[in-house]
Amino acid sequence: VFAVLAALYVGDLVVSSGNVPRGVTVAGIDIGGRSVPEAEQILRTELGPRTEEPVTVTAGDVTAQIVPAQAGLDVDWEHTLDRIGSQPLDPITRVTSFFGGGDEIGVVSTRDDAALAAAIGGVRAVADRPPREGNLVFDGATPVPVAPLPGQTLDVEAAADLFAERWAFGDVEFPVETVDVTVTPEGLERALREVADPAVAGDVTVRGRDGAVATLPSDRIGAVLTFVPDGNGGLTPQYGIDAATEILRPQLAATEVEPKDARIVIEGGGPTVIPSVAGELVDWPVSLESLPQLLAAPGERVTDAVYKPAEPALTTEAAEKLGIREVIGEFTTGGFEYASGVNIRLAASEINGALVKPGETFSLNGYTGPRGAAQGYVESGIINNGRPSKAVGGGISQLATTLYNATYFAGMEDVEHTEHSYYISRYPAAREATVYEGAIDLKFRNPSDTGVLIQAIGTSSDITVRIWGTKTVDVESVTGSRTNFTAPNTITLPAGPGCIPSSGAQGFTVSDTRIITDAATGRQISSTTRTVRYDPVPVVRCVSAEPEPERESAPAAPSQPAPGEAETPGGGSDEPAGARPAGTTTPQPAPSGADEAEEAPAETPAAASQTPAGTE
């Protein structure tokens, strides 16, 4: 028997020598007992096409498909065949191989990690989700349970390795981390039965004065009642008092007395305090303290509104203590055209009566808000890219300059202001301001212990701004000589609405020094110099056809203007004299057709620096 078995063993070993061991499979493909070349051919025929076939992948409760070749995977034939190994010498192993018990050696893959990560990332985008706690929401007056759903997160790195190893088998289950929820179905059902259903069983009524009532209808309960997990599997109700107030307050508004602030108005040539009015409003937090009990009550749901006194933000006494009693700064400008006047007077009416308390900062843009056609503003002049143009709301810079000078002489603190990029002759040099909605603002701070009131008066020909308060300082403006003159360039544009001609003017540098002294003692408090460089006003020519080239002569050397003389771009007549503070210069009128206004932010503002007196 032994001899026979030995002979069979040797014969089987000789016959199978060099072949794939019996029972070997690759991704389920049986290649056992075949020669290695034959086994390779079978694998290339059956396994190769699988790289182009979609493989179903599962990530938790999400199913998707990935094509191995598109994910950067292919068969590494050399290393896959190396796994086959040689014929076993163990007699028992050789005998058992006749009766099953195969050896799956799998597939070795080549991989493009970037492409594989992108493919796995696509699955992650649909597989990952945060946990969704159970909740109750309302569809009108109907509570709707939202079932809890655990969250899950795909392990991308582990999924990539697993897919590279298992794709050839046709389906792969990715590892995911589950994020549990705390609310149980039982807790959700309990909140529905005990809180939500009773809450929408009827309306809630709040009784105000004089028979007025406010109703919180059952189909609006969902705006007031919400739920959060309690950590023990259930839901805790939350009652939105603010949300309930928004629904109920308008219904009892007629029963309330709104407080009115004291106002300071200029009447009869001086300031008058119009007394404040105390109010009485519904105290909604107190009135709705019983809301949880009301929403759980089986019968009528009625409660009474509780009213409380409401003091105005500015009382009569506080207004009188602000010390607004006299004009402490005033300035007037004129020479604008009709459309600019419309805008200037409208903006002036908006800031007229503005109160700036001690330490507060006033913003012209912030106070007027938008200045568009919807607010009544019209198209007028602006400076855009260094030359005159038109835009809705143009002209407001005239008000900004007037306001700036009034606050300048009132001793207000300059927080923010920007000069025009080139000089406009009706404004004081180095003492003017431009504005542009959303980009360039005029701001000043009230540094005194008393309040100030802005009075703005617009007529068809000029605009006056007065600053009322308590006079504590005197202000003097000293304007320096103009230096560093620069010649204008010439711009030629096609004639039409988009071209506004200009004869141009020289640019220059000039300084203004503000000297502030104590009004009672004459002691100097501060001296601040601001230096401004104005660009030259370009010469704008509007031509109907292509002009013949012509050689322009070099500009003549600039001459120093006489003291008090203002250069006027394009010419112009003197502005009529008006009431101006001592120490100011008298600006000249704008040239006809060159009424400048807000400066577009694309234009680089005039360079300005602020330095102590005696330096520059």
Side-chain angles (χ1 to χ4, degrees):
V1 171
F2 177 79
V4 171
L5 292 176
L8 290 174
Y9 171 80
V10 173
D12 181 54
L13 189 61
V14 172
V15 171
S16 61
S17 178
N19 291 342
V20 177
R22 286 185 294 270
V24 172
T25 59
V26 178
I29 302 172
D30 186 4
I31 58 172
R34 302 178 182 275
S35 66
V36 173
E38 185 181 6
E40 181 179 355
Q41 183 60 42
I42 293 173
L43 291 176
R44 287 184 179 275
T45 302
E46 298 188 27
L47 184 60
R50 294 187 189 180
T51 61
E52 301 291 343
E53 298 173 357
V55 175
T56 300
V57 296
T58 304
D61 55 4
V62 173
T63 300
Q65 289 186 326
I66 298 177
V67 177
Q70 295 177 0
L73 297 178
D74 202 352
V75 180
D76 184 340
W77 297 106
E78 178 182 354
H79 290 91
T80 298
L81 295 173
D82 285 346
R83 286 185 172 185
I84 293 176
S86 58
Q87 289 288 331
L89 299 179
D90 184 0
I92 297 177
T93 301
R94 299 190 65 83
V95 171
T96 57
S97 67
F98 284 103
F99 305 100
D103 185 14
E104 171 60 57
I105 64 172
V107 176
V108 180
S109 300
T110 61
R111 53 192 282 179
D112 179 341
D113 288 332
L116 182 57
I120 302 299
V123 178
R124 181 182 186 179
V126 295
D128 282 11
R129 65 166 181 266
R132 185 186 69 195
E133 289 286 4
N135 203 352
L136 285 169
V137 297
F138 292 85
D139 182 8
T142 303
V144 179
V146 178
L149 180 66
Q152 63 179 26
T153 303
L154 175 63
D155 186 336
V156 174
E157 185 175 347
D161 292 340
L162 185 61
F163 188 74
E165 180 183 344
R166 299 287 304 172
W167 65 267
F169 292 90
D171 60 81
V172 182
E173 184 173 349
F174 286 161
V176 294
E177 180 182 349
T178 301
V179 183
D180 292 330
V181 293
T182 62
V183 178
T184 64
E186 295 76 18
L188 182 62
E189 173 60 29
R190 184 168 58 253
L192 176 65
R193 182 180 66 254
E194 297 178 1
V195 182
D197 282 339
V200 295
D203 299 340
V204 174
T205 300
V206 180
R207 294 183 299 207
R209 292 174 174 169
D210 304 323
V213 296
T215 301
L216 176 61
S218 60
D219 61 359
R220 300 290 303 277
I221 297 297
V224 176
L225 177 59
T226 57
F227 296 87
V228 295
D230 62 8
N232 296 315
L235 290 170
T236 297
Q238 292 190 326
Y239 301 89
I241 302 301
D242 290 342
T245 299
E246 289 183 8
I247 298 171
L248 296 166
R249 172 180 284 156
Q251 302 178 56
L252 292 185
T255 69
E256 297 179 306
V257 178
E258 292 287 343
K260 293 183 179 179
D261 289 348
R263 293 188 299 120
I264 303 174
V265 299
I266 306 301
E267 292 181 346
T272 300
V273 175
I274 297 178
S276 61
V277 177
E280 196 170 21
L281 305 175
V282 175
D283 189 340
W284 287 106
V286 174
S287 301
L288 296 175
E289 281 180 343
S290 61
L291 184 60
Q293 293 76 28
L294 291 171
L295 292 178
E300 188 179 21
R301 305 172 175 191
V302 180
T303 189
D304 291 323
V306 178
Y307 290 79
K308 66 175 181 179
E311 291 297 322
L314 181 64
T315 64
T316 303
E317 182 182 9
E320 291 172 344
K321 289 182 178 180
L322 286 175
I324 296 174
R325 58 175 63 96
E326 58 191 325
V327 176
I328 61 174
E330 178 178 354
F331 203 76
T332 299
T333 62
F336 45 77
E337 50 91 28
Y338 174 78
S340 291
V342 171
N343 295 332
I344 292 169
R345 288 187 293 272
L346 178 55
S349 69
E350 293 178 345
I351 69 170
N352 184 47
L355 183 64
V356 186
K357 296 178 182 177
E360 287 187 345
T361 297
F362 176 90
S363 162
L364 180 58
N365 285 350
Y367 206 90
T368 65
R371 297 189 293 265
Q375 289 76 36
Y377 289 88
V378 298
E379 185 179 76
S380 185
I382 69 167
I383 300 171
N384 188 14
N385 293 322
R387 61 187 180 85
S389 185
K390 296 279 188 178
V392 172
I396 306 302
S397 285
Q398 178 120 10
L399 175 62
T401 292
T402 311
L403 175 62
Y404 171 72
N405 277 272
T407 60
Y408 177 104
F409 289 105
M412 296 294 102
E413 178 184 324
D414 178 22
V415 174
E416 176 184 337
H417 89 279
T418 302
E419 291 85 359
H420 288 82
S421 61
Y422 61 75
Y423 177 59
I424 299 171
S425 60
R426 66 177 176 276
Y427 301 151
R431 216 179 65 226
E432 45 88 13
T434 183
V435 289
Y436 197 90
E437 184 183 330
I440 305 173
D441 200 1
L442 169 65
K443 296 180 181 179
F444 70 87
R445 178 181 173 272
N446 177 10
S448 64
D449 296 330
T450 57
V452 297
L453 180 76
I454 299 174
Q455 182 186 20
I457 306 168
T459 71
S460 60
S461 59
D462 59 33
I463 177 71
T464 297
V465 175
R466 297 190 182 108
I467 305 298
W468 292 77
T470 297
K471 185 174 180 61
T472 59
V473 298
D474 290 321
V475 178
E476 179 185 3
S477 171
V478 179
T479 303
S481 301
R482 301 177 186 181
T483 60
N484 301 326
F485 288 87
T486 54
N489 63 336
T490 300
I491 301 173
T492 301
L493 299 172
C499 182
I500 300 176
S502 170
S503 56
Q506 293 176 325
F508 58 89
T509 298
V510 66
S511 295
D512 174 78
T513 299
R514 180 166 78 153
I515 303 171
I516 301 179
T517 56
D518 186 280
T521 66
R523 178 183 60 86
Q524 180 172 307
I525 298 173
S526 66
S527 177
T528 306
T529 298
R530 186 177 181 91
T531 300
V532 181
R533 179 184 60 80
Y534 288 108
D535 294 333
V537 180
V539 177
V540 179
R541 295 177 178 175
C542 303
V543 297
S544 56
E546 190 70 26
E548 288 292 330
E550 61 180 57
R551 183 183 302 274
E552 294 190 12
S553 59
S559 60
Q560 177 68 34
E565 180 184 2
E567 290 198 356
T568 303
S573 59
D574 290 342
E575 179 184 51
R580 303 189 186 281
T584 68
T585 58
T586 302
Q588 301 298 314
S592 175
D595 182 74
E596 308 308 341
E598 298 191 53
E599 181 153 1
E603 168 64 36
T604 303
S609 64
Q610 189 163 307
T611 58
T615 64
E616 184 174 294

